[in-house]
Amino acid sequence: MWLRIAIQKKGRIGERSLDLFKKIWWKIHIDDRTLSCKIPELQIELLLMRDDDIPWFVEKGVCDLWIVGSDLIQETHTNVTIVRKLWFGKCRFSIAIPGDSTIHTLSDLQGKTFATSFPNILQSFLDTQHLQGTIITMSGSVEIAPSMKMADAIADIVSSGNTLIQNGLKEFHTISDFEAVLIQHTTVFDDEKKNLLGKLLMRIDAIIEAKKYKYIVMNIPKTSLSTFTELLWGIDGPTISPLTNEQMLSFATVISEEKFWENIEKLKALGASGILILPIEKMIF
Ligand code: AMP
């Protein structure tokens, strides 16, 4: 039995999904012509497909799991269970307007024309705001619509915001946040598939967990050891090693990056030096 997982063949989420599976199983080799690939150790079969086709495959139950952007699920109203929210593909779906637009408040959107590739999400938003508008559906290059006088505003995915700026647009209102998600069809897995899914999730969780933490190594004055230990306890306490300089110790710990930056001034004031911050690839508790 194989656990079939569909990922996008191209695009931002496709590349990051492949990176995820390369971290799980380093022997994966995929080139432009690859449409499927097996991970025998985990009984996983990866299928690479166009993202437009994925909702159809979900509905038909052709695959067991899929990695897609949550925008696709919201837009197509596909009936699925989100198994894991992943850390990549984060973006927002926003209304953007020309720099010199007379639209200043949400109510100014009344009666306007919008260009978008996500008509259903936009329509739901307009409905909840009790606004009427005309929606022009485009499959891409939505940002060009206002300058072509086709639309007063657009609703599109924004990440850095550079595409908007390049097209003389400014972000006006965020409708929703999106990210890549691992989804499962609503049908229940039998025990064998549940077991395969468990093995996969253990590996994905190890990567998700590792993203939150950093491995920190630094030299500290021996006299401040108890203060450093209290501040940066880590998982089961820090690793302490002697240095040639007998007044100093090497202090290694695993802590969240946030906690590290919260304490950096204090650590330096206490005499920490030679601080190394290293990424962690996987973390299994
Ligand atoms: P940016 O210039 O970084 O704001 O990117 C905006 C353009 O990239 C838009 O045309 C979006 O459709 C596309 N884009 C950005 N982020 C994503 C994402 N996470 N998933 C799919 N498309 C995206």
Side-chain angles (χ1 to χ4, degrees):
M1 174 167 310
W2 292 86
L3 197 62
R4 275 195 168 161
I5 307 175
I7 61 172
Q8 295 174 7
K9 185 160 170 53
K10 292 221 169 83
R12 296 183 193 223
I13 289 184
E15 278 166 30
R16 302 295 303 273
S17 308
L18 258 189
D19 287 346
L20 164 67
F21 284 100
K22 281 179 187 164
K23 281 193 177 141
I24 289 172
W25 196 66
W26 60 98
K27 285 183 260 177
I28 284 184
H29 174 75
I30 284 178
D31 62 31
D32 277 357
R33 284 160 300 169
T34 312
L35 296 176
S36 75
C37 132
K38 284 187 170 170
I39 305 179
E41 282 83 347
L42 293 171
Q43 286 165 263
I44 284 174
E45 182 175 17
L46 284 184
L47 302 179
L48 285 79
M49 48 182 62
R50 273 180 59 107
D51 56 350
D52 302 350
D53 295 332
I54 292 183
W56 185 87
F57 277 82
V58 176
E59 291 291 354
K60 298 289 167 201
V62 176
C63 297
D64 301 303
L65 298 163
W66 298 264
I67 295 180
V68 287
S70 48
D71 47 296
L72 198 69
I73 303 171
Q74 249 192 59
E75 178 61 23
T76 56
H77 297 299
T78 315
N79 193 12
V80 291
T81 308
I82 295 181
V83 183
R84 282 293 180 280
K85 289 182 176 177
L86 302 170
W87 59 92
F88 52 87
K90 285 192 192 299
C91 56
R92 50 198 190 274
F93 183 64
S94 294
I95 294 181
I97 54 175
D100 58 359
S101 171
T102 53
I103 297 168
H104 300 294
T105 63
L106 279 181
S107 56
D108 293 338
L109 295 174
Q110 173 63 27
K112 296 289 190 258
T113 302
F114 303 84
T116 188
S117 304
F118 299 86
N120 294 328
I121 303 176
L122 176 59
Q123 188 62 61
S124 307
F125 169 75
L126 293 177
D127 291 346
T128 55
Q129 298 293 323
H130 309 291
L131 292 166
Q132 278 82 43
T134 305
I135 298 179
I136 299 172
T137 306
M138 296 173 70
S139 52
S141 306
V142 167
E143 292 89 351
I144 210 166
S147 62
M148 304 300 285
K149 305 287 175 223
M150 287 165 62
D152 304 302
I154 65 160
D156 200 13
I157 288 178
V158 183
S159 181
S160 65
N162 286 339
T163 312
L164 292 183
I165 294 168
Q166 277 169 14
N167 288 283
L169 300 170
K170 60 180 181 192
E171 203 169 346
F172 171 65
H173 182 81
T174 299
I175 296 178
S176 196
D177 289 309
F178 295 131
E179 64 204 327
V181 284
L182 176 71
I183 54 168
Q184 179 186 343
H185 193 252
T186 42
T187 47
V188 178
F189 282 1
D190 60 22
D191 285 349
E192 204 174 338
K193 276 205 178 153
K194 270 189 201 152
N195 183 31
L196 293 179
L197 176 62
K199 285 183 181 175
L200 173 67
L201 290 183
M202 193 263 273
R203 285 158 175 79
I204 291 180
D205 289 344
I207 299 168
I208 293 177
E209 210 50 44
K211 297 232 160 267
K212 299 182 203 154
Y213 294 91
K214 292 280 182 259
Y215 185 69
I216 315 278
V217 189
M218 62 189 132
N219 298 336
I220 64 161
K222 214 176 210 171
T223 47
S224 308
L225 176 60
S226 56
T227 318
F228 276 92
T229 307
E230 210 173 293
L231 271 178
L232 309 173
W233 176 256
I235 297 169
D236 287 318
T239 305
I240 316 292
S241 325
L243 290 176
T244 321
N245 175 349
E246 288 180 3
Q247 312 302 314
M248 302 289 281
L249 291 168
S250 172
F251 182 102
T253 189
V254 171
I255 55 163
S256 73
E257 189 163 9
E258 203 181 344
K259 188 166 178 196
F260 173 76
W261 289 116
E262 271 169 20
N263 284 292
I264 180 70
E265 276 78 23
K266 217 182 272 177
L267 303 179
K268 292 201 79 173
L270 283 165
S273 61
I275 304 171
L276 304 179
I277 308 159
L278 306 166
I280 301 170
E281 196 175 281
K282 297 177 187 95
M283 218 163 137
I284 301 166
F285 289 105

